[in-house]
Amino acid sequence: MPVNTAQKIHSARQKKTANDASGALSRGLLLLERIAEAGRGGITLTDLSLQAGFAVSTTHRLLNTLEQGGFVRRDTELGMWYIGLRAFSIGNAFLDSRDVVVQARPFMKRLMEQTGETINLAVENQGTMVYLAQTECVEMMRMIVRLGSSAPVHASAVGKVMMTWINRKQLEEVLQSQGLRRFTPHTITTMAELHQDLENIRQRGFAYDLEEHTIGLHCVASPIFNEHGEPIAAISLSGPKARVTSERLPELGLLVSRTAGEITQAIGGQAPR
């Protein structure tokens, strides 16, 4: 056989092998997606092949390969397929890299520079908001919080914006455990007032704290969501009401909301639909 002909045959075989591998990878990933969508109940081989549009024999062969790698597992008694530990560990690697504080810091710095005010990040923990990060502004009069310190959910912008997007049962549990303590003459202390405020927050996309926790301090906050559309943190802007005036609040709120949306996107989250 001439050398050129042999080289062409070898090249064609290599290309076919690469195409076959690429196709098998795509089909295998599609099966993983369908198994993941099935959730805890798992999925049968027949249903999986129908959903994926593959022959049963092809589906079974791909599943065997995935099972050998630990990406899927099967219950031989029930005939169900589930996501395996290897796929779970790979997913967790993404979650580890998605540390919301680390991801948020550059956005917080930019927002501080845009507005000239201090930016905070907080999460809810057992009915209170805990501050995990802060980017201080350069003004002499500014809000400074000790990281790890907490704020009440009903009397802080970060707390109210988190309460807006949790379900009603969770909201009631949190409020029952913490109550509606009065901190200033401006603190919301009735459920009717709070529910009205939460409805207003939902409509505009961000929350205000107008001296509700501390006299002389104004804050505006917006939520950060995970991939399930659940609020996992809140970012806020805070400053003295002499600078963070009522006239500036809508504009600042839009900037905070936009930044929260960018952080949500950076961690792979999505706003609820």
Side-chain angles (χ1 to χ4, degrees):
M1 181 183 296
V3 174
N4 287 344
T5 302
Q7 288 177 335
K8 289 180 181 179
I9 292 174
H10 179 68
S11 177
R13 286 175 177 172
Q14 283 185 317
K15 185 175 181 180
K16 182 178 184 303
T17 300
N19 289 338
D20 289 346
S22 177
L25 177 59
S26 297
R27 291 192 292 270
L29 291 173
L30 178 59
L31 293 181
L32 279 177
E33 289 179 1
R34 294 294 180 267
I35 296 172
E37 290 169 359
R40 296 179 180 178
I43 188 169
T44 65
L45 172 63
T46 302
D47 286 343
L48 187 56
S49 63
L50 286 172
Q51 289 188 21
F54 305 150
V56 172
S57 58
T58 300
T59 305
H60 191 261
R61 184 177 70 253
L62 291 168
L63 287 173
N64 284 337
T65 301
L66 291 170
E67 185 181 27
Q68 290 172 12
F71 292 99
V72 300
R73 61 182 180 86
R74 61 177 157 179
D75 186 320
T76 54
E77 292 185 6
L78 298 176
M80 307 297 289
W81 289 87
Y82 306 88
I83 286 293
L85 184 60
R86 186 76 181 278
F88 175 77
S89 65
I90 290 174
N92 271 353
F94 168 70
L95 293 176
D96 290 341
S97 70
R98 197 188 66 172
D99 185 312
V100 67
V101 174
V102 173
Q103 297 284 348
R105 286 194 188 282
F107 296 99
M108 294 172 65
K109 183 176 184 294
R110 187 190 66 191
L111 183 59
M112 182 275 291
E113 292 170 346
Q114 287 176 330
T115 62
E117 301 296 343
T118 294
I119 311 301
N120 318 284
L121 186 139
V123 298
E124 187 271 332
N125 180 54
Q126 298 182 342
T128 62
M129 297 302 298
V130 179
Y131 290 101
L132 300 184
Q134 183 176 71
T135 302
E136 294 181 32
C137 68
V138 297
E139 299 289 344
M140 183 175 294
M141 290 181 61
R142 61 184 184 272
M143 175 190 177
I144 299 176
V145 298
R146 177 175 55 84
L147 298 186
S149 63
S150 61
V153 293
H154 73 288
S156 63
V158 286
K160 290 191 295 180
V161 83
M162 289 287 284
M163 294 302 99
T164 300
W165 274 277
I166 65 174
N167 63 55
R168 190 66 174 250
K169 183 179 179 181
Q170 286 178 294
L171 175 61
E172 290 175 355
E173 289 175 352
V174 168
L175 295 177
Q176 284 176 5
S177 67
Q178 300 299 317
L180 299 176
R181 175 187 167 191
R182 182 182 295 278
F183 293 91
T184 77
H186 306 286
T187 304
I188 292 175
T189 56
T190 70
M191 291 299 296
E193 288 179 295
L194 181 61
H195 283 303
Q196 181 58 59
D197 197 20
L198 297 184
E199 180 58 33
N200 293 337
I201 293 167
R202 182 179 291 276
Q203 290 180 13
R204 65 175 172 253
F206 45 89
Y208 297 140
D209 167 5
L210 306 179
E211 299 185 277
E212 295 164 44
H213 187 229
T214 304
I215 291 294
L217 184 69
H218 280 183
C219 301
V220 58
S222 194
I224 297 168
F225 298 101
N226 65 12
E227 66 273 22
H228 304 296
E230 301 164 337
I232 58 170
I235 185 172
S236 72
L237 175 151
S238 57
K241 70 174 185 178
R243 289 201 311 268
V244 183
T245 62
S246 298
E247 291 75 21
R248 288 188 72 199
L249 282 172
E251 175 193 353
L252 294 174
L254 290 174
L255 287 172
V256 172
S257 180
R258 186 182 307 155
T259 302
E262 291 173 335
I263 298 171
T264 293
Q265 186 175 18
I267 64 172
Q270 61 177 4
R273 298 174 181 175

